[in-house]
Amino acid sequence: MGHEGIGASVRRKEDLRFLNGRGHYTDDMNRPGQLYAYIRRSDRPHARLGAIDTAAAKASPGVVAVFTGADMAAEGIGGLPCGWQIHNKDGSPMAEPPHPVLATGKVRHVGDPVAVVIAQTRQQAKDAAEKLAIDYHDLPGAAGLREALAPGAAPVHDEVQGNLCYDWHIGDKAMVDAAFAGAAKVVKLELENNRLIPNAMEPRAAVGDFDPMSGDYTLITTSQNPHVIRLLMGAFVLHIPENHLRVIAPDVGGGFGSKIYHYAEEAIVTWAAGKLKRAVKWTAERTESFMSDAHGRDHISTAELALDKDGHFLALRVSTLANMGAYLSTFAPCVPTYLYATLLAGVYKTPAIYAEVKAVFTNSVPVDAYRGAGRPEATFLLERLVDVAARETGIDRVEIRRRNFIPNDAFPYQTPVALQYDSGDYTATLNAALKAADYAGFESRRAAARARGKLRGIGVSTYLEACGIAPSAVVGSLGARAGLYECANIRVHPTGSVTVFTGAHSHGQGHETTFAQLVHEQLGVPLDQIEVVHGDTNRIPFGMGTYGSRSLAVGGSAMVKAMDKIIAKGKKIAAHLMEASVEDVEFKDGTFTVAGTDKSKTLTDISLTAYVPHNYPIEELEPGLEETAFYDPKNFTYPGGCHVAEVEIDPETGVTSVVNFTAVDDVGRVINPMIVEGQVQGGVAQGIGQALLEHAVYDSAGQLLSGSMMDYTMPRADNLPNITVGTESTLCTHNPLGVKGCGEVGAIGSPPAVMNAVVDALREYDVRHIDMPATAPKIWSIIQAGRPRMAAE
Amino acid sequence: MPQVSLTVNGTQHTVEVENRTLLVELLREKIGLTGTHVGCDTSQCGACVVHVDGTSVKSCTMLAVQAEGANVTTIEGLAAADGTLHPMQEMFREHHALQCGFCTPGMVMSAIDLVQSHPEGLSEHQIREGLEGNLCRCTGYHNIVKAIAAAWPLMHGKTMPAAAE
Ligand code: FES
Ligand code: FES
């Protein structure tokens, strides 16, 4: 269809309310008689909980109730469930200790919720919470991976001696060992993937309410997946059946993964609302976000690559330690396994891969998926390793990549680590990115920078990711305790306007626009007559929500299926009205026609007939024009591409600036190019943040040192360059739209491109590898310590 | 409790507040203007920026009582009564300078002050430095910078001086 359908940069429908301050975020919502909750959190990394004296808090002005973990336990409230079970090398299940809503027995990280105070106002609740006297008996703690695994380390959970959550592996070890034994060259690299704090700009919030007449609970929450929260909280924590629990995720101010999980505060406000028969609101202060939102990344790895004499990759061996934090967050166990190790083939035809992953409990905030989740860690490891291999074999960095790419005629391509890629053209994205970045002209820019006293470097990363998660049977066999289909309901109203009810959730992605474009394309309805509804379990049949770049590939495909059903039914009605046989009815651009005649009926004629069925095949067909579809994907989708970063380092200060950044991605079919470009730019900004600025730092005992925006460096406008984005698409072969997903590519491809550029800029110094973030003090020290190498490179 | 009288988006309000009540709390909780957001507790993010007597202010960093007699404009007060958007709002929409929309009210209010206070023109570098006090986690700022540059000529009624570009 014309300029509003697939491929058009339609301006966003949702913008008007956001630009006028009329969005509806959770903290904007208030219920009659609402009370306010304040959560007192542990300031200790690890301690036994003694008595909690609540008397002074309860007597404080405005206080209605104070609850502790003991109060919840007394009512049989369950712990927060984990949605994915990983098995150890020996087949036994991972350690899965309880995750109480409010701490009982021990506190295990700074930020662990200990008690909740509920009062008439926010300030009264906060004032009273300071009067709680909590008896802590400190225990030794460890937030770091090596420290928590060290012999004699204090167990975070008494029942998990040694702090090992699981010891998992994938791939053919014997084949890999044999390949290494016969290799001409082996390259080895130790690397860390820095711990990050997602910091969506909207802090988490939750409002619980209860209607004593109906027994209905309502939870309004900052979630990426309200149906998942209803299922987890209703079934496992509070034991409320679905028909009595409504979860609303209204406008949500960014998620990036951190708002997928079922958090304690959601259960606390819902349960407290039921007990007090009043609405209860909780809104995180940013300081609480730092110590209670799930963190991301935090790996330590050893990677080895075996090559033949011509630089072909023969085998890859990886050993990784992954931080789980103090408790298992909802999807934490799958991140360093099935979202990480299965991606270690990258875009390369490495025939043998073996990876082992140890997941570790530490006295730190739980770690779970953050934009990219596992795939950025795999990509950083691989793309740094390839650059080091190029340097140590003397083969050009771009050439060694080309030499090892999976060729275009190899699809579908089965990797040695479980995934089967459906499509891609890695040479095309590489060529387009090098051209757009003027890679060929770089050396003159390096020389010009040199003349200005600056060290300039360029870095390339060619990456791939798996998203559009995921086939239910496959993930089920890998330990998921959920299916990962999506649901859509399409309602064509009597006068022809359309409402789409989607199980996906938009928290910045622009679904209200992109999804409307899909409907416009397929049904021919004008955009302004299409409304997209998301984020309410009472309005939408079901849904698995938005994460893993799945909304269009899975949710969009469900919409296509539902619309196929609408068209099929519409054809029957049209055939009846036009006295033709159904096989002769065609549908295009919103109009039903009979082949070889000039007879036609618009979709509006048909919808009106469907709801006013006077002249209607009522014996064979039900009235109405509304269809629901569930779509279960057949495979993951595999976006990929090439990112090129150009940096300049000021040797006087060690400050690194990204001066040019080019991303050329294959995201499959593009529905709205403007939105895709924005998604990639935002992802790249987070990737540059990881590479240069961001780091969640704990001291050795487990105190969070980077606990506010004054200590944790968020990328600001003057830290970032313009970000040039291009697409070079091959179509996904197994979903009806040919789409792959674009939400995470920016954060996945960019960190190694930046770090490869930083190492390149420092090539006169003896630098082989630098871990992220490349902060000014780190780079300055390297420059001070490094002796410029004698040999000209 | 002290009382404070102020004008918000052209409407006079007199409200009771605590001494410690912040201007943003007054706006959001006392008079129900929830377009102004709170994104941090250390005056770092700029989600709360409003105009007080024509100048951008972080409303989380000002006590309500300090706004006595002030003329406050929030994001809700920008568009004309007939719904016509302010040029900055219009350019944010045109250039896709918002995703989740949470930083947007503060970003727009800061951007308007930035453009108004630079009648001589604004370079990209100046725009980026001028946004130091506003965090956006979604957009990577690229399109925000473009939107502000595009709003400058509309707000000043002339083309941006070449030297500034
Ligand atoms: S709320 Fe963050 S600066 Fe005001
Ligand atoms: S648009 Fe989401 S924080 Fe800026």
Side-chain angles (χ1 to χ4, degrees):
Chain A
M1 286 281 298
H3 63 294
E4 294 188 328
I6 290 178
S9 285
V10 175
R11 299 305 184 258
R12 299 199 323 168
K13 289 162 74 82
E14 44 273 84
D15 285 357
L16 210 56
R17 67 174 185 275
F18 295 140
L19 282 165
N20 281 296
R22 311 284 170 159
H24 291 283
Y25 300 90
T26 300
D27 188 58
D28 302 341
M29 314 277 198
N30 296 297
R31 296 253 161 169
Q34 173 180 291
L35 301 169
Y36 293 83
Y38 187 86
I39 292 170
R40 177 75 182 264
R41 298 174 186 279
S42 171
D43 53 4
R44 316 297 170 100
H46 197 193
R48 273 196 204 287
L49 265 180
I52 303 174
D53 184 349
T54 60
K58 281 181 172 153
S60 193
V63 170
V64 175
V66 178
F67 299 116
T68 66
D71 297 318
M72 295 193 94
E75 297 212 358
I77 301 305
L80 302 175
C82 178
W84 203 298
Q85 186 181 49
I86 295 296
H87 287 81
N88 292 305
K89 287 172 181 168
D90 66 6
S92 59
M94 67 184 188
E96 199 173 349
H99 184 176
V101 173
L102 287 171
T104 47
K106 290 214 297 190
V107 290
R108 297 180 173 86
H109 69 87
V110 171
D112 210 354
V114 175
V116 57
V117 177
I118 296 167
Q120 304 287 352
T121 72
R122 215 185 285 263
Q123 282 300 342
Q124 286 172 335
K126 190 173 177 179
D127 291 345
E130 284 175 15
K131 297 179 186 162
L132 288 167
I134 303 171
D135 200 5
Y136 292 111
H137 304 280
D138 286 321
L139 295 166
L145 284 159
R146 293 198 183 93
E147 294 75 10
L149 279 181
V156 177
H157 298 273
D158 294 351
E159 62 272 44
V160 189
Q161 293 293 322
N163 291 319
L164 189 65
C165 173
Y166 57 75
D167 179 9
W168 171 91
H169 67 162
I170 191 170
D172 188 330
K173 185 170 190 303
M175 193 174 158
V176 167
D177 289 346
F180 269 88
K185 174 87 189 162
V186 170
V187 177
K188 184 173 177 182
L189 189 61
E190 315 257 339
L191 63 185
E192 298 191 7
N193 204 286
N194 44 329
R195 186 181 183 110
L196 303 177
I197 301 178
N199 273 313
M201 290 318 301
E202 178 203 23
R204 286 191 298 112
V207 183
D209 203 355
F210 178 68
D211 178 349
M213 295 301 111
S214 62
D216 289 349
Y217 289 84
T218 302
L219 169 67
I220 308 170
T221 181
T222 50
S223 174
Q224 303 178 210
N225 34 225
H227 288 85
V228 175
I229 301 305
R230 185 181 65 172
L231 179 65
L232 294 175
M233 185 175 82
F236 297 100
V237 187
L238 299 183
H239 315 299
I240 305 168
E242 278 98 331
N243 61 320
H244 283 302
L245 177 56
R246 176 183 189 181
V247 178
I248 301 168
D251 287 328
V252 171
F256 317 111
S258 70
K259 292 172 181 167
I260 298 172
Y261 323 116
H262 178 33
Y263 285 98
E265 297 83 2
E266 294 170 322
I268 291 168
V269 297
T270 308
W271 174 75
K275 276 194 84 68
L276 302 173
K277 310 216 173 359
R278 304 265 299 267
V280 177
K281 179 193 261 191
W282 168 82
T283 305
E285 298 179 349
R286 180 59 60 182
T287 306
E288 292 184 272
S289 311
F290 274 93
M291 60 172 115
S292 71
D293 292 5
H295 292 182
R297 319 282 193 257
D298 203 349
H299 285 192
I300 298 178
S301 295
T302 303
E304 295 167 278
L305 184 65
L307 301 97
D308 72 10
K309 64 177 184 3
D310 299 318
H312 295 114
F313 305 162
L314 299 175
L316 175 69
R317 186 158 53 204
V318 174
S319 174
T320 293
L321 302 179
N323 204 331
M324 293 284 104
Y327 303 99
L328 291 177
S329 174
T330 311
F331 290 112
C334 80
V335 176
T337 48
Y338 294 109
L339 294 178
Y340 164 72
T342 52
L343 271 297
L344 287 168
V347 291
Y348 309 113
K349 55 187 190 229
T350 316
I353 298 174
Y354 176 73
E356 51 188 350
V357 179
K358 287 191 171 78
V360 183
F361 290 112
T362 66
N363 294 110
S364 66
V365 176
V367 179
D368 207 326
Y370 165 60
R371 202 170 196 169
R375 291 149 288 165
E377 295 91 313
T379 304
F380 179 68
L381 176 146
L382 204 50
E383 290 302 293
R384 281 296 304 131
L385 187 62
V386 168
D387 252 36
V388 173
R391 170 190 164 120
E392 294 183 358
T393 56
I395 302 170
D396 174 77
R397 293 180 283 169
V398 171
E399 172 54 28
I400 200 169
R401 288 179 162 85
R402 286 189 198 281
R403 210 171 278 182
N404 287 283
F405 276 165
I406 297 161
N408 290 356
D409 61 8
F411 296 102
Y413 176 78
Q414 179 63 51
T415 74
V417 274
L419 299 178
Q420 191 186 74
Y421 304 163
D422 63 331
S423 65
D425 184 344
Y426 310 128
T427 304
T429 45
L430 172 67
N431 288 345
L434 294 181
K435 184 155 182 278
D438 186 26
Y439 187 81
F442 173 71
E443 287 307 328
S444 66
R445 296 196 292 281
R446 192 197 302 265
R450 170 107 268 179
R452 286 184 280 111
K454 298 283 171 62
L455 303 170
R456 193 158 172 133
I458 195 164
V460 172
S461 104
T462 50
Y463 76 95
L464 169 135
E465 64 135 331
C467 63
I469 56 174
S472 295
V474 173
V475 295
S477 73
L478 302 178
R481 290 163 169 158
L484 288 169
Y485 49 82
E486 194 47 272
C487 170
N489 172 276
I490 308 266
R491 183 178 299 164
V492 184
H493 299 287
T495 60
S497 62
V498 172
T499 304
V500 177
F501 299 88
T502 172
H505 186 275
S506 189
H507 31 280
Q509 295 86 345
H511 292 170
E512 289 167 43
T513 306
T514 305
F515 289 175
Q517 287 179 262
L518 291 186
V519 175
H520 175 68
E521 180 82 21
Q522 198 170 345
L523 297 183
V525 177
L527 277 191
D528 61 2
Q529 293 178 32
I530 304 165
E531 184 202 5
V532 176
V533 175
H534 61 89
D536 185 343
T537 60
N538 267 23
R539 299 184 72 189
I540 297 138
F542 204 74
M544 294 307 296
T546 288
Y547 39 83
S549 307
R550 68 192 303 273
S551 302
L552 194 55
V554 190
S557 296
M559 290 170 53
V560 170
K561 266 184 79 174
M563 287 189 283
D564 286 344
K565 294 186 194 177
I566 296 270
I567 293 168
K569 183 171 182 182
K571 281 182 176 175
K572 290 182 189 163
I573 301 168
H576 176 87
L577 290 180
M578 297 189 284
E579 296 174 336
S581 82
V582 176
E583 296 72 46
D584 293 335
V585 176
E586 290 167 0
F587 180 72
K588 191 165 178 283
D589 299 348
T591 305
F592 295 89
T593 53
V594 180
T597 74
D598 59 359
K599 291 184 186 173
S600 74
K601 291 283 174 194
T602 63
L603 181 63
T604 306
D605 296 332
I606 299 305
S607 59
L608 198 56
T609 306
Y611 290 96
V612 188
H614 296 161
N615 175 17
Y616 195 83
I618 203 84
E619 298 294 323
E620 301 104 65
L621 217 52
E622 295 169 11
L625 197 55
E626 170 171 349
E627 298 287 351
T628 299
F630 283 69
Y631 176 81
D632 199 73
K634 298 184 178 69
N635 190 353
F636 291 83
T637 61
Y638 300 97
C642 176
H643 289 190
V644 182
E646 210 167 311
V647 304
E648 263 188 28
I649 295 171
D650 181 344
E652 300 295 319
T653 60
V655 171
T656 302
S657 315
V658 179
V659 287
N660 287 320
F661 196 97
T662 307
V664 176
D665 302 295
D666 174 359
V667 297
R669 192 187 306 285
V670 172
I671 309 300
N672 184 319
M674 175 190 83
I675 288 178
V676 168
E677 195 179 306
Q679 287 291 310
V680 175
Q681 285 164 342
V684 167
Q686 289 179 356
I688 293 174
Q690 171 165 29
L692 298 184
L693 305 168
E694 298 181 39
H695 197 185
V697 182
Y698 281 90
D699 75 6
S700 59
Q703 268 298 342
L704 179 60
L705 300 181
S706 53
S708 82
M709 282 179 174
M710 297 199 287
D711 315 295
Y712 183 91
T713 317
M714 295 278 285
R716 293 176 184 271
D718 55 359
N719 300 129
L720 294 170
N722 280 319
I723 298 162
T724 307
V725 176
T727 51
E728 195 68 43
S729 287
T730 61
L731 297 185
C732 171
T733 60
H734 58 77
N735 66 45
L737 288 164
V739 297
K740 296 186 178 179
C742 67
E744 295 162 293
V745 293
I748 292 168
S750 58
V754 173
M755 295 311 294
N756 286 343
V758 170
V759 173
D760 181 54
L762 296 173
R763 64 186 191 164
E764 298 161 33
Y765 301 86
D766 209 8
V767 183
R768 186 168 180 263
H769 173 70
I770 300 170
D771 276 318
M772 302 182 289
T775 56
K778 190 186 281 183
I779 300 299
W780 186 84
S781 308
I782 289 169
I783 291 172
Q784 295 306 308
R787 292 174 299 281
R789 275 193 277 161
M790 299 309 291
E793 255 190 299
Chain B
M1 280 211 278
Q3 275 196 345
V4 40
S5 296
L6 74 178
T7 305
V8 183
N9 301 331
T11 306
Q12 176 77 32
H13 296 268
T14 300
V15 279
E16 286 205 336
V17 296
E18 290 183 63
N19 285 324
R20 61 182 172 177
T21 301
L22 302 170
L23 176 58
V24 68
E25 292 168 341
L26 177 150
L27 293 171
R28 287 182 58 82
E29 290 165 20
K30 301 279 177 185
I31 57 181
L33 291 173
T34 56
T36 302
H37 294 155
V38 177
C40 73
D41 47 11
T42 51
S43 199
Q44 301 271 299
C45 76
C48 61
V49 171
V50 299
H51 291 177
V52 176
D53 297 327
T55 306
S56 61
V57 164
K58 286 181 170 170
S59 62
C60 74
T61 311
M62 181 170 175
L63 294 169
V65 290
Q66 291 176 288
E68 173 64 35
N71 197 342
V72 176
T73 306
T74 71
I75 189 77
E76 290 95 336
L78 276 188
D82 68 353
T84 307
L85 296 179
H86 184 282
M88 189 63 75
Q89 292 171 305
E90 192 61 53
M91 288 303 100
F92 264 58
R93 179 169 154 85
E94 178 59 25
H95 292 280
H96 186 32
L98 63 154
Q99 292 184 19
C100 78
F102 196 80
C103 73
T104 307
M107 206 55 97
V108 166
M109 299 311 283
S110 289
I112 290 172
D113 190 9
L114 182 65
V115 168
Q116 275 171 351
S117 56
H118 286 83
E120 76 288 0
L122 270 172
S123 67
E124 184 202 320
H125 182 73
Q126 284 174 302
I127 295 174
R128 287 186 180 275
E129 291 214 319
L131 293 178
E132 254 287 322
N134 290 76
L135 285 170
C136 173
R137 194 55 153 167
C138 296
T139 63
Y141 306 98
H142 179 107
N143 286 338
I144 294 174
V145 174
K146 264 176 35 189
I148 295 170
W152 194 98
L154 299 177
M155 287 174 59
H156 287 290
K158 57 183 181 190
T159 54
M160 177 98 80
E165 303 232 12

